Amino acid sequence: MRAIVLVGGEGTRLRPLTFTTPKPLLPIANQAFLERQLTWLDRHGIDEVVLALGYLPDAFVERFPDGRFGDLKLRYAVEDEPLGTAGGIRYAAEIAGIDERFVVCNGDVLTTLDLTEMVAFHDAHGGEATIHLCRVDDPSAFGVVPTRANGEVMAFVEKPPAGRAPSHWINAGTYVLEPSVLERIPPRLTVSVERETFPRMLDHPGNLFAFKGDAYWIDIGTPEKYLEAHADVLAGALGTPPAPGAVEAAPGVWKQGPVSIAADAHVEAPVLLGPGVRVASGARVSGSVLGPGCAVGEQAAVVGSVMLEDGCVANAASVLDAVIGAEATLEHGAVAAGGTVVGPSVVVAAGSRLSGARVPLQVSTTQ
């Protein structure tokens, strides 16, 4: 069975991290998100994946130069201009010559959905399309999908006002589709599968069903959710170990290779330390993920945060609920807190104070 993964978006909500790296290639607990998604697809019998590309397509080819990920064959469908979710699906299917039932998933959804069970549900109900639904406490920011008792979709309600949603079950971004759905999508046009294609299918009863599941699910597309996904993985949401090759050195303290931790440093679970991480005297690392080669200076603190590869926190600097991009540096005494995202290779000057900031360039004054 084949799958199309929609990875063409610009990831604007995760800027500045996505200025140079497509969102699906950003790491989740030191493994590229897309690699986690491909591993999941492989586990459920997918043997070929078509990546529907748009933004920075060369980055994907460079990541998978032989067109494979493990046993999975990869194909690339590069859009000259954005075609929307439905347009991207049709274009990718044409490029790959898909003419049988297939799976579609969004390139920013981390989930443990039992895809095998969902496909079986789809086959048993005989519709053209099946949508995965997950339950959320507050559906006001999502597309809500009320259903009949047999799972048939009744309606689509986009971002209902708080307290007025007809259901708490939302479109979770994974679909099982028959090739006939492709005929419903105009070629070479920008079309949304969620807002146009699926709603139009409601005119033909018995064609569109929904599969409800209680599996882990999160959209990683904002800094807050990106941090939350890391915390969830550290907490075991995807099982253990939290990253390939990680070894539990102490309860909840995972290492992916040799690390250097000073005798009087404080490393408090849950944490994941990539190979080559250095934690200096008096430093504190708690509830965080540090990528390969990261350094935490004397008396520095990294709490509830993510540091990407070769990030550096100098002496007495603090990272609190923030994301530090690859090769970025916080100089002496600087603070990044409250959901701040520091871009790749940025230098945050000594003494700076950042809260809720997006930092694509060097910071030289207190903010």
Coordinates of all heavy atoms in Angstrom, one line a residue, residues 60-110:
F60 N 14.7 17.8 1.3 CA 14.2 16.4 1.4 C 15.1 15.4 0.6 O 15.4 14.3 1.0 CB 12.8 16.3 1.0 CG 11.9 17.1 1.9 CD1 11.6 18.4 1.6 CD2 11.3 16.5 3.0 CE1 10.7 19.1 2.4 CE2 10.4 17.2 3.8 CZ 10.1 18.5 3.5
V61 N 15.5 15.8 -0.6 CA 16.3 15.0 -1.5 C 17.7 14.8 -0.8 O 18.2 13.7 -0.8 CB 16.4 15.6 -2.9 CG1 17.3 14.7 -3.7 CG2 15.1 15.8 -3.5
E62 N 18.2 15.9 -0.2 CA 19.5 15.8 0.5 C 19.4 14.9 1.7 O 20.3 14.1 2.0 CB 20.0 17.2 0.9 CG 20.3 18.1 -0.3 CD 20.6 19.5 0.1 OE1 20.5 19.8 1.4 OE2 20.8 20.3 -0.8
R63 N 18.2 14.9 2.4 CA 18.1 14.0 3.6 C 18.0 12.6 3.2 O 18.5 11.7 3.9 CB 16.8 14.5 4.3 CG 16.6 13.7 5.6 CD 17.4 14.3 6.7 NE 17.2 13.6 8.0 CZ 17.6 14.1 9.1 NH1 18.2 15.3 9.2 NH2 17.5 13.4 10.2
F64 N 17.3 12.3 2.1 CA 17.1 10.9 1.6 C 17.7 10.8 0.2 O 16.9 10.6 -0.8 CB 15.7 10.5 1.6 CG 15.0 10.8 2.9 CD1 14.1 11.9 3.0 CD2 15.2 10.1 4.1 CE1 13.5 12.2 4.2 CE2 14.6 10.4 5.3 CZ 13.7 11.4 5.4
P65 N 19.0 10.8 0.0 CA 19.6 10.9 -1.3 C 19.4 9.7 -2.2 O 19.4 9.8 -3.4 CB 21.1 11.1 -1.0 CG 21.3 10.6 0.3 CD 20.0 10.9 1.1
D66 N 19.2 8.5 -1.5 CA 19.0 7.3 -2.3 C 17.5 7.0 -2.5 O 17.1 5.9 -3.0 CB 19.7 6.1 -1.7 CG 19.2 5.8 -0.3 OD1 18.4 6.7 0.2 OD2 19.6 4.8 0.3
G67 N 16.6 7.9 -2.1 CA 15.2 7.7 -2.3 C 14.6 6.6 -1.5 O 13.6 6.0 -1.8
R68 N 15.2 6.4 -0.3 CA 14.7 5.3 0.6 C 14.9 5.8 2.0 O 15.7 6.6 2.4 CB 15.5 4.0 0.4 CG 15.4 3.4 -1.0 CD 15.9 2.0 -1.0 NE 14.9 1.1 -0.4 CZ 13.8 0.6 -1.0 NH1 13.6 0.9 -2.3 NH2 12.9 -0.2 -0.3
F69 N 14.0 5.2 2.9 CA 14.2 5.3 4.3 C 13.9 3.9 4.8 O 12.8 3.4 4.9 CB 13.2 6.3 4.9 CG 13.3 6.4 6.4 CD1 14.3 7.0 7.0 CD2 12.3 5.8 7.2 CE1 14.4 7.1 8.4 CE2 12.4 5.8 8.6 CZ 13.5 6.5 9.2
G70 N 15.0 3.2 5.2 CA 14.9 1.8 5.6 C 14.3 1.0 4.5 O 14.8 1.1 3.3
D71 N 13.2 0.3 4.7 CA 12.6 -0.5 3.7 C 11.6 0.3 2.8 O 11.1 -0.2 1.8 CB 11.8 -1.7 4.3 CG 12.8 -2.7 5.0 OD1 13.9 -2.8 4.5 OD2 12.4 -3.3 5.9
L72 N 11.3 1.5 3.2 CA 10.4 2.4 2.4 C 11.0 3.0 1.2 O 12.1 3.6 1.2 CB 9.9 3.5 3.3 CG 8.8 3.2 4.3 CD1 8.5 4.4 5.1 CD2 7.5 2.7 3.6
K73 N 10.3 2.9 0.1 CA 10.7 3.6 -1.1 C 10.1 5.0 -1.1 O 8.9 5.1 -0.8 CB 10.2 2.8 -2.4 CG 10.6 3.6 -3.7 CD 10.1 2.8 -4.9 CE 10.4 3.5 -6.2 NZ 9.9 2.8 -7.4
L74 N 10.8 6.0 -1.4 CA 10.4 7.4 -1.4 C 10.3 7.9 -2.9 O 11.2 7.7 -3.6 CB 11.3 8.3 -0.6 CG 11.5 7.9 0.9 CD1 12.4 8.9 1.6 CD2 10.1 7.7 1.6
R75 N 9.3 8.6 -3.1 CA 9.1 9.3 -4.4 C 8.8 10.8 -4.1 O 8.3 11.1 -3.1 CB 8.1 8.7 -5.3 CG 8.3 7.3 -5.6 CD 7.3 6.7 -6.6 NE 7.5 7.4 -7.9 CZ 6.9 6.9 -9.0 NH1 6.2 5.8 -9.0 NH2 7.1 7.5 -10.2
Y76 N 9.2 11.7 -5.0 CA 9.0 13.1 -4.8 C 8.1 13.7 -5.9 O 8.3 13.5 -7.1 CB 10.4 13.8 -4.9 CG 11.4 13.2 -3.9 CD1 12.5 12.4 -4.4 CD2 11.3 13.4 -2.6 CE1 13.4 11.9 -3.5 CE2 12.2 12.9 -1.7 CZ 13.3 12.1 -2.2 OH 14.2 11.6 -1.3
A77 N 7.1 14.5 -5.4 CA 6.3 15.2 -6.3 C 6.4 16.7 -5.9 O 5.8 17.1 -4.9 CB 4.8 14.7 -6.2
V78 N 7.1 17.5 -6.7 CA 7.4 18.9 -6.4 C 6.4 19.8 -7.1 O 6.4 19.8 -8.4 CB 8.9 19.2 -6.8 CG1 9.2 20.6 -6.4 CG2 9.8 18.2 -6.1
E79 N 5.7 20.5 -6.4 CA 4.7 21.5 -6.9 C 5.4 22.8 -7.4 O 6.2 23.3 -6.6 CB 3.6 21.8 -5.9 CG 2.8 20.6 -5.4 CD 1.9 20.9 -4.3 OE1 1.7 22.1 -4.0 OE2 1.5 20.0 -3.6
D80 N 5.2 23.2 -8.6 CA 5.7 24.5 -9.0 C 5.1 25.7 -8.2 O 5.8 26.7 -8.0 CB 5.5 24.7 -10.5 CG 6.3 23.7 -11.3 OD1 7.3 23.2 -10.9 OD2 5.8 23.3 -12.4
E81 N 3.9 25.5 -7.9 CA 3.2 26.5 -7.0 C 2.2 25.8 -6.1 O 1.8 24.7 -6.4 CB 2.4 27.5 -7.9 CG 1.4 26.9 -8.8 CD 0.8 27.9 -9.8 OE1 1.4 28.9 -10.1 OE2 -0.4 27.7 -10.1
P82 N 1.9 26.4 -5.0 CA 1.1 25.7 -4.0 C -0.3 25.3 -4.6 O -1.0 26.1 -5.2 CB 0.9 26.7 -2.9 CG 2.1 27.6 -3.0 CD 2.4 27.7 -4.5
L83 N -0.7 24.0 -4.3 CA -1.9 23.5 -4.9 C -3.0 23.2 -3.8 O -4.0 22.7 -4.1 CB -1.7 22.2 -5.7 CG -0.8 22.4 -7.0 CD1 -0.5 21.1 -7.6 CD2 -1.5 23.3 -8.0
G84 N -2.6 23.5 -2.5 CA -3.5 23.2 -1.4 C -3.5 21.7 -1.1 O -2.8 20.9 -1.8
T85 N -4.2 21.3 -0.1 CA -4.1 19.9 0.3 C -4.7 18.9 -0.8 O -4.1 17.9 -1.1 CB -4.8 19.6 1.6 OG1 -6.1 20.2 1.6 CG2 -4.0 20.3 2.8
A86 N -5.9 19.2 -1.3 CA -6.5 18.4 -2.3 C -5.7 18.4 -3.6 O -5.4 17.4 -4.2 CB -7.9 18.8 -2.6
G87 N -5.3 19.6 -4.1 CA -4.5 19.7 -5.3 C -3.2 19.0 -5.2 O -2.7 18.4 -6.1
G88 N -2.6 19.1 -4.0 CA -1.3 18.4 -3.8 C -1.5 16.9 -3.8 O -0.6 16.2 -4.3
I89 N -2.6 16.4 -3.2 CA -2.9 15.0 -3.2 C -3.0 14.5 -4.7 O -2.4 13.5 -5.1 CB -4.1 14.7 -2.4 CG1 -3.9 14.9 -0.9 CG2 -4.6 13.2 -2.7 CD1 -5.1 14.9 -0.1
R90 N -3.8 15.2 -5.5 CA -4.0 14.7 -6.8 C -2.7 14.8 -7.6 O -2.4 13.8 -8.4 CB -5.1 15.6 -7.5 CG -5.2 15.3 -9.0 CD -6.4 15.7 -9.7 NE -6.4 15.3 -11.1 CZ -7.4 15.1 -11.9 NH1 -8.7 15.4 -11.4 NH2 -7.3 14.8 -13.1
Y91 N -2.0 15.8 -7.5 CA -0.7 16.0 -8.2 C 0.3 14.9 -7.8 O 0.9 14.2 -8.7 CB -0.1 17.3 -8.0 CG 1.2 17.5 -8.7 CD1 1.2 17.7 -10.1 CD2 2.4 17.6 -8.0 CE1 2.4 17.9 -10.8 CE2 3.6 17.8 -8.7 CZ 3.6 18.0 -10.1 OH 4.8 18.1 -10.7
A92 N 0.4 14.6 -6.6 CA 1.3 13.5 -6.1 C 0.9 12.2 -6.6 O 1.7 11.3 -7.0 CB 1.4 13.6 -4.6
A93 N -0.5 11.9 -6.6 CA -1.0 10.7 -7.1 C -0.7 10.5 -8.5 O -0.4 9.4 -9.0 CB -2.5 10.6 -6.8
E94 N -0.8 11.6 -9.3 CA -0.5 11.5 -10.7 C 0.9 11.2 -11.0 O 1.3 10.3 -11.8 CB -0.9 12.8 -11.4 CG -2.4 13.0 -11.5 CD -2.8 14.4 -12.1 OE1 -1.8 15.2 -12.2 OE2 -4.0 14.6 -12.4
I95 N 1.8 11.9 -10.3 CA 3.2 11.6 -10.4 C 3.6 10.2 -10.1 O 4.4 9.6 -10.8 CB 4.0 12.6 -9.5 CG1 3.9 14.0 -10.0 CG2 5.5 12.2 -9.5 CD1 4.5 14.3 -11.3
A96 N 3.0 9.6 -9.1 CA 3.3 8.3 -8.6 C 2.5 7.2 -9.4 O 2.8 6.0 -9.2 CB 3.1 8.1 -7.1
G97 N 1.5 7.6 -10.1 CA 0.7 6.6 -10.8 C -0.2 5.8 -9.9 O -0.5 4.6 -10.1
I98 N -0.7 6.5 -8.8 CA -1.5 5.7 -7.8 C -2.9 5.5 -8.4 O -3.6 6.4 -8.9 CB -1.7 6.5 -6.5 CG1 -0.3 6.6 -5.8 CG2 -2.7 5.9 -5.6 CD1 -0.3 7.4 -4.6
D99 N -3.3 4.2 -8.5 CA -4.6 3.8 -9.0 C -5.3 2.8 -8.1 O -6.2 2.0 -8.6 CB -4.5 3.3 -10.4 CG -3.5 2.1 -10.5 OD1 -3.1 1.6 -9.4 OD2 -3.3 1.6 -11.6
E100 N -5.0 2.8 -6.8 CA -5.6 1.9 -5.9 C -5.7 2.6 -4.6 O -5.2 3.7 -4.4 CB -4.8 0.6 -5.7 CG -3.4 0.9 -5.3 CD -2.5 -0.4 -5.4 OE1 -3.0 -1.4 -5.8 OE2 -1.3 -0.3 -5.0
R101 N -6.4 2.0 -3.6 CA -6.6 2.6 -2.3 C -5.2 3.1 -1.7 O -4.2 2.4 -1.8 CB -7.2 1.6 -1.4 CG -7.5 2.1 0.1 CD -7.7 1.0 1.0 NE -6.5 0.1 1.1 CZ -6.5 -1.1 1.5 NH1 -7.7 -1.7 1.8 NH2 -5.4 -1.8 1.5
F102 N -5.2 4.3 -1.1 CA -4.0 4.8 -0.6 C -4.3 5.6 0.7 O -5.4 6.0 1.0 CB -3.3 5.6 -1.6 CG -4.0 6.9 -2.1 CD1 -3.7 8.1 -1.6 CD2 -5.0 6.8 -3.0 CE1 -4.3 9.3 -2.1 CE2 -5.7 7.9 -3.5 CZ -5.4 9.1 -3.0
V103 N -3.2 6.0 1.4 CA -3.3 6.7 2.6 C -2.7 8.1 2.4 O -1.8 8.3 1.6 CB -2.5 6.0 3.8 CG1 -2.3 6.9 5.0 CG2 -3.1 4.7 4.1
V104 N -3.3 9.1 3.1 CA -2.8 10.5 3.0 C -2.6 10.9 4.5 O -3.4 10.7 5.3 CB -3.7 11.5 2.3 CG1 -3.2 12.9 2.4 CG2 -3.9 11.1 0.9
C105 N -1.4 11.6 4.8 CA -1.3 12.2 6.1 C -0.5 13.5 6.0 O 0.2 13.7 5.0 CB -0.6 11.3 7.1 SG 0.9 10.4 6.4
N106 N -0.8 14.4 6.9 CA -0.2 15.7 7.0 C 1.2 15.6 7.6 O 1.4 14.8 8.5 CB -1.0 16.7 7.8 CG -2.3 17.1 7.1 OD1 -2.3 17.1 5.8 ND2 -3.4 17.4 7.8
G107 N 2.1 16.4 7.1 CA 3.5 16.4 7.5 C 3.8 17.1 8.8 O 4.9 17.5 9.0
D108 N 2.8 17.3 9.6 CA 3.0 18.0 10.9 C 2.2 17.4 12.0 O 2.0 17.9 13.1 CB 2.7 19.5 10.8 CG 1.3 19.8 10.3 OD1 0.5 18.8 10.1 OD2 1.0 21.0 10.1
V109 N 1.7 16.1 11.8 CA 0.9 15.4 12.8 C 1.7 14.2 13.3 O 2.0 13.3 12.6 CB -0.4 15.0 12.2 CG1 -1.1 14.0 13.2 CG2 -1.3 16.2 11.9
L110 N 2.0 14.3 14.6 CA 2.6 13.2 15.3 C 1.6 12.3 16.0 O 0.8 12.9 16.8 CB 3.6 13.7 16.3 CG 4.5 12.7 17.1 CD1 5.5 12.0 16.1 CD2 5.4 13.5 18.1

